[in-house]
Amino acid sequence: MDCILTIDINTSSVRIHAFDLTGEVLGMRKGSYPTFHPQADYSEQDPEQVFITTLYVLKNFINEVIQPQKYKVRALCFCAAMHSVLAVDKNGRPLGNAIIWADNRGIKEAKMLKKSAFRSPIYEATGTPIHPMSPLIKISWMRHQDPERFAQAFKFVSLKEYIVLQLTGEYLIDHSIASSTGLFDIHQLKWNAQALEFAGISPERLSAPVSIFFDEVPLKKEYSKSLGLSSATKVILGSSDGCSATLGSGNIAADRATVTIASSGAVRVASKEILADEKQRFFNYLLAEDYYISGGPTNNVGVVFDWYTQFFGSFNPGQEFEQVRVELLREATQVPAGAKGLLFLPYLLGERAPIWNANARGVYFGLNITHEQKHLLRATIEGILFEMYSIGKLLTDHRSFSSISLTGSYSSIPLFAQILTDIFGLPFNVNTKVDSVALGTALIGLTGMKYYNNLEEASASTHFTETYTPNAQNHELYLRYFEVFERLSGKLEEEFEMIAGLQ
């Protein structure tokens, strides 16, 4: 049987799926790698560790599943988290760790750009909000704060580009990842001159932008041989995780929204038009020509619940992290909605949409003497999901939704799905059989290989396995809590700045 392998390089792990040519899953393997936080605002990953893990998982998957089942791999199609930056020398060797999306070290450079005349032209040309997440800001930070590494850098690439470079020997970046750098003109499909000027680089120091369907570079011979793949196996560039998740959730239509809850999160809509916002609160990323994915991202979803589990979970000897997390979720279901009047602002990693404040910090609000650990647990989960609603609420000012899909690693957790449904007060559709990012990546590959005529047809082939319906009483209660949540997030702006200055 012919198949396509999707390789998703996300924040905490690489996930490799095999799909047949109708989009059905044949198997999956994953491998994890750590994120380092050498300082409060720093988030980094070792590119060599990410590449070696990817290669290890891919080889094991082929040895354990593909070859025993006699599947024939027709293509590898890639997908990755956005906004990472890695400086490499002339030989493609990393000059230090990759700076990933959660990193906020470029606060000063972001403020500098926001105050300049470049702010609106760059946002309108690139579709990327001005924030330290943006590779534009990270390169500018390196230029001013790490000039030796900046000068040594032959090119600035993302983790996905680095993996592709290792496997093919070519510097290539797909349009969707490029459009999340803050450096790429999504209208003219080329690097933006004003953004390059602000970053202090020429276009030659970036990879060549190509379509998500690009498949004109083969695997290096040593890798096709060691992996046991035919030299005819296509390498399809694919897209970003957010664009793939939207496609894989079946929502390539303006009246539908996709909510993703994973390590980070986002609320997205897809359409043929850019979502205009005078306050520049939304991103507009290019999936393919004339396909835009618009919405808002949050830094604080799975990483916050992992933080809570790590430091407040009860770890018995020999107990795995996942077991403790399951016990916490079971405990949280026993606490009534509203956590007995306790609220949590989840801004442990600063925040992007809708407040776009890299200095925002986490806050428990409303504590009294009757609160117990279980109330902090429930409030933590609800705070994460109130933040998702704050983005969705902004989008409903611009679009009306006929349906919402829930995707991401946390979408299969019933407690998260039901609370989110209750907060939004709208039905949520979930596909628990397959990861939407992997499916969306497979659909890009299959469209590029002409098994679908276009992305609409490919996206329409997806199905949902569950629908959550809102509890009206909980929805009414959550709206009252959200009013306080929203007011607090806005009122604490000065205090966030003050406490960040003390950390």
Side-chain angles (χ1 to χ4, degrees):
M1 178 188 294
D2 288 354
C3 73
I4 180 172
L5 302 187
T6 63
I7 301 174
D8 174 19
I9 306 153
N10 64 42
T11 304
S12 59
S13 63
V14 56
R15 295 170 184 245
I16 300 179
H17 288 74
F19 290 84
D20 69 17
L21 302 185
T22 68
E24 291 296 319
V25 179
L26 301 174
M28 184 276 250
R29 288 287 188 279
K30 77 171 194 176
S32 301
Y33 35 76
T35 298
F36 308 106
H37 303 284
Q39 297 184 39
D41 285 326
Y42 285 34
S43 296
E44 301 180 350
Q45 288 179 330
D46 180 348
E48 284 298 301
Q49 194 168 20
V50 175
F51 174 63
I52 291 169
T53 303
T54 300
L55 203 59
Y56 176 80
V57 175
L58 179 59
K59 188 167 181 60
N60 279 355
F61 188 36
I62 290 172
N63 289 342
E64 295 170 4
V65 177
I66 302 301
Q67 291 179 344
Q69 296 295 325
K70 301 187 184 307
Y71 295 142
K72 180 182 178 183
V73 179
R74 295 282 304 278
L76 307 178
C77 191
F78 291 84
C79 174
M82 294 177 269
H83 311 306
S84 62
V85 170
L86 166 66
V88 297
D89 67 14
K90 288 184 178 179
N91 297 310
R93 290 185 296 232
L95 299 169
N97 282 339
I99 305 172
I100 69 167
W101 59 267
D103 194 287
N104 284 323
R105 72 185 68 183
I107 291 175
K108 181 180 175 183
E109 283 70 22
K111 288 181 177 177
M112 189 191 313
L113 178 53
K114 282 183 177 179
K115 291 177 181 176
S116 78
F118 285 160
R119 174 180 178 161
S120 292
I122 287 179
Y123 171 74
E124 290 166 7
T126 67
T128 306
I130 309 301
H131 185 270
M133 72 172 185
S134 166
L136 160 64
I137 300 299
K138 289 165 179 158
I139 295 172
S140 177
W141 176 89
M142 209 177 295
R143 176 189 180 192
H144 295 112
Q145 306 300 327
D146 194 354
E148 186 175 346
R149 181 160 50 150
F150 180 82
Q152 290 177 347
F154 174 62
K155 290 200 186 270
F156 299 95
V157 300
S158 67
L159 281 168
K160 178 180 175 183
E161 293 164 74
Y162 181 70
I163 302 297
V164 171
L165 171 67
Q166 295 302 310
L167 293 175
T168 70
E170 299 291 335
Y171 288 99
L172 298 166
I173 182 170
D174 73 82
H175 285 163
S176 71
I177 288 285
S179 71
S180 66
T181 62
L183 291 150
F184 187 70
D185 191 317
I186 58 175
H187 309 280
Q188 301 186 37
L189 304 187
K190 65 179 185 180
W191 297 115
N192 177 263
Q194 288 180 307
L196 292 173
E197 182 181 342
F198 182 81
I201 59 174
S202 64
E204 288 74 25
R205 296 180 80 181
L206 299 172
S207 298
V210 295
S211 158
I212 59 172
F213 305 118
F214 183 88
D215 65 355
E216 298 173 16
V217 177
L219 279 175
K220 288 179 179 175
K221 287 183 180 177
E222 60 263 38
Y223 287 121
S224 61
K225 183 178 179 181
S226 68
L227 292 169
L229 297 175
S230 161
S231 59
T233 304
K234 290 182 178 296
V235 177
I236 301 174
L237 262 287
S239 78
S240 66
D241 55 358
C243 289
S244 284
T246 307
L247 181 67
S249 64
N251 284 341
I252 300 296
D255 64 340
R256 300 176 186 176
T258 301
V259 174
T260 300
I261 46 176
S263 294
S264 59
V267 185
R268 305 182 184 91
V269 295
S271 72
K272 298 279 189 179
E273 298 176 347
I274 287 171
L275 191 67
D277 181 59
E278 291 181 355
K279 296 182 180 178
Q280 304 178 4
R281 293 168 297 183
F282 300 135
F283 57 69
N284 288 287
Y285 298 143
L286 189 68
L287 171 57
E289 284 193 60
D290 296 328
Y291 290 93
Y292 299 99
I293 306 298
S294 306
T298 166
N299 289 354
N300 301 287
V301 187
V303 290
V304 174
F305 193 61
D306 285 351
W307 165 82
Y308 186 94
T309 303
Q310 183 68 46
F311 294 108
F312 300 103
S314 298
F315 285 83
N316 297 320
Q319 200 166 23
E320 298 290 335
F321 185 87
E322 189 60 31
Q323 292 174 293
V324 175
R325 197 172 76 148
V326 169
E327 288 181 7
L328 287 175
L329 290 168
R330 187 182 301 119
E331 184 181 349
T333 61
Q334 307 303 315
V335 182
K340 203 177 179 181
L342 185 61
L343 275 169
F344 175 60
L345 306 187
Y347 309 136
L348 301 192
L349 290 169
E351 191 51 292
R352 293 183 283 177
I355 61 174
W356 293 100
N357 185 348
N359 281 331
R361 294 293 186 264
V363 176
Y364 285 101
F365 181 77
L367 271 171
N368 65 45
I369 198 68
T370 69
H371 285 127
E372 304 171 29
Q373 184 272 341
K374 63 184 181 182
H375 299 115
L376 271 72
L377 167 62
R378 178 82 183 202
T380 300
I381 296 171
E382 291 178 343
I384 291 168
L385 300 177
F386 278 137
E387 180 61 14
M388 303 299 302
Y389 180 63
S390 68
I391 302 169
K393 185 166 173 275
L394 281 183
L395 282 171
T396 58
D397 291 340
H398 297 259
R399 298 280 173 82
S400 296
F401 304 142
S402 62
S403 66
I404 300 179
S405 298
L406 181 59
T407 70
S409 54
Y410 280 73
S411 64
S412 61
I413 298 175
L415 178 65
F416 273 71
Q418 187 59 57
I419 293 175
L420 196 59
T421 301
D422 290 345
I423 293 174
F424 273 74
L426 290 169
F428 271 67
N429 299 313
V430 183
N431 184 345
T432 56
K433 282 190 174 179
V434 61
D435 178 86
S436 64
V437 173
L439 178 57
T441 305
L443 294 177
I444 289 170
L446 293 170
T447 303
M449 295 163 70
K450 311 301 182 190
Y451 287 95
Y452 293 104
N453 290 315
N454 52 55
L455 292 177
E456 283 104 335
E457 183 180 309
S459 190
S461 69
T462 63
H463 304 285
F464 304 115
T465 57
E466 291 183 33
T467 296
Y468 288 83
T469 56
N471 177 305
Q473 187 175 352
N474 284 349
H475 176 58
E476 184 179 345
L477 177 69
Y478 279 139
L479 289 184
R480 292 165 59 194
Y481 275 73
F482 179 74
E483 181 182 357
V484 183
F485 178 94
E486 193 173 38
R487 288 165 66 96
L488 274 177
S489 298
K491 284 188 173 182
L492 291 177
E493 184 175 358
E494 289 185 11
E495 288 76 13
F496 286 148
E497 291 284 330
M498 293 168 67
I499 200 67
L502 295 173
Q503 292 178 344

